[in-house]
Amino acid sequence: MVLELRNVSYVYPNNVVALSNVSTEFNEGEVTCIMGPGGSGKTTLLLVASCILSPASGEVLLNGVPLCSLLPGVRRRIGILFQDPDDMLFNPTVYDELAYALRQLISDEAKVMSIVMDVSNRLGISHLLKRSTFALSGSEKRRVALASILTYDPDILLLDEPTGDLSIKDKLSLLKLLKNMKMLGKTIVIATHDYAFAKNIADQVLILNNGRVVVKGGLEVFTREIFLKYL
Ligand SMILES: Nc1ncnc2c1ncn2[C@@H]1O[C@H](COP(=O)(O)OP(=O)(O)OP(=O)(O)O)[C@@H](O)[C@H]1O
Ligand SMILES: [Mg+2]
């Protein structure tokens, strides 16, 4: 699925202009890393790209069709990982958290369990399934939040700082998992400050500054000048 932002602007109620005339495409089987200083608009871009926030002007298109017109049906095709995992976790146990979305889609609890087991193994959290979602470490919460999206197998993954709190080992397994998703043709967008991670996975890099796209291209955009100026 191709997700496109066309001349998108977004203004928060306090008049902060978080996005200004942003145009970009996120393609199937590609990973786009969105980078830029704190407050440059990365999170806002992901929220607008998933139609959680409606743009003040411009359009968000999914395969050429306005995304917001396809809601709520299209919601399950899009997985969004919030920057703060606490905004996502609300079930009493990790197992329930992972099963939650699936239970809206599948009535066979054995099938639900098998998917939960598979995803939790892939994210190294199967030992946490009986634990309370409120009593986890930062990296555990992030992996549980990511797992809660992967269970319903969305075509588009919008991930806000997915490597935050992760150990090097966990980052490597996330890298492997995302490369696998990319091979399966998923459209992947990652907001991150993690240059090493971006360098290992990005097909496209988008650098924002004050809500504007200042640089767009492949890994060649990572020059000394760009680092000094924006990263
Ligand atoms: N709920 C809000 N209400 C008002 N202004 C907001 C809100 N959320 C973000 N902003 C402002 O919008 C701008 C973009 O914020 P955003 O969170 O998108 O940046 P970011 O690039 O994700 O930053 P970070 O790297 O710190 O996560 C900033 O100026 C921020 O202060
Ligand atoms: Mg952010």
Side-chain angles (χ1 to χ4, degrees):
M1 287 189 164
V2 181
L3 188 60
E4 185 186 352
L5 272 62
R6 215 178 267 173
N7 306 115
V8 165
S9 296
Y10 186 81
V11 186
Y12 281 105
N14 59 354
N15 293 327
V16 169
V17 180
L19 295 175
S20 282
N21 205 28
V22 171
S23 292
T24 189
E25 265 187 25
F26 305 122
N27 292 311
E28 246 171 59
E30 267 186 27
V31 176
T32 302
C33 286
I34 302 178
M35 304 189 74
S40 56
K42 303 181 293 297
T43 294
T44 309
L45 191 155
L46 295 186
L47 295 175
V48 169
S50 53
C51 226
I52 291 173
L53 298 178
S54 304
S57 57
E59 287 186 301
V60 180
L61 304 170
L62 183 68
N63 292 340
V65 179
L67 175 63
C68 298
S69 73
L70 300 170
L71 292 173
V74 80
R75 184 57 74 207
R76 67 158 301 207
R77 308 278 26 120
I78 303 173
I80 178 160
L81 175 74
F82 289 121
Q83 183 161 359
D84 182 351
D86 283 329
D87 290 342
M88 297 181 68
L89 308 176
F90 61 94
N91 282 279
T93 69
V94 171
Y95 183 91
D96 289 325
E97 193 67 54
L98 301 201
Y100 183 81
L102 281 175
R103 285 175 175 149
Q104 325 295 315
L105 302 167
I106 307 172
S107 51
D108 179 352
E109 188 63 29
K111 183 97 204 288
V112 168
M113 187 193 268
S114 123
I115 297 172
V116 168
M117 292 305 182
D118 174 50
V119 172
S120 53
N121 279 332
R122 281 196 281 149
L123 282 164
I125 52 168
S126 41
H127 61 295
L128 300 174
L129 288 173
K130 289 187 180 151
R131 293 271 293 276
S132 158
T133 47
F134 307 108
L136 298 172
S137 75
S139 86
E140 289 169 346
K141 278 185 185 170
R142 202 166 301 268
R143 283 179 289 150
V144 170
L146 180 60
S148 73
I149 296 164
L150 298 185
T151 50
Y152 57 90
D153 194 27
D155 299 309
I156 298 179
L157 294 170
L158 305 173
L159 311 176
D160 202 348
E161 309 282 0
T163 63
D165 307 312
L166 295 195
S167 68
I168 293 173
K169 205 166 146 202
D170 288 338
K171 279 190 199 180
L172 287 174
S173 37
L174 178 62
L175 202 58
K176 201 167 144 202
L177 184 146
L178 292 176
K179 283 187 175 169
N180 195 27
M181 296 274 164
K182 178 178 133 134
M183 297 233 301
L184 293 171
K186 309 285 183 193
T187 306
I188 306 175
V189 186
I190 304 173
T192 187
H193 288 288
D194 192 332
Y195 164 67
F197 195 81
K199 200 167 153 259
N200 270 292
I201 197 160
D203 298 295
Q204 176 176 232
V205 179
L206 203 72
I207 301 183
L208 294 179
N209 193 40
N210 287 326
R212 290 182 185 278
V213 177
V214 285
V215 180
K216 192 166 147 186
L219 291 176
E220 76 283 350
V221 305
F222 289 127
T223 60
R224 187 178 148 76
E225 189 201 346
I226 293 296
F227 263 98
L228 294 176
K229 219 163 158 187
Y230 302 116
L231 301 177

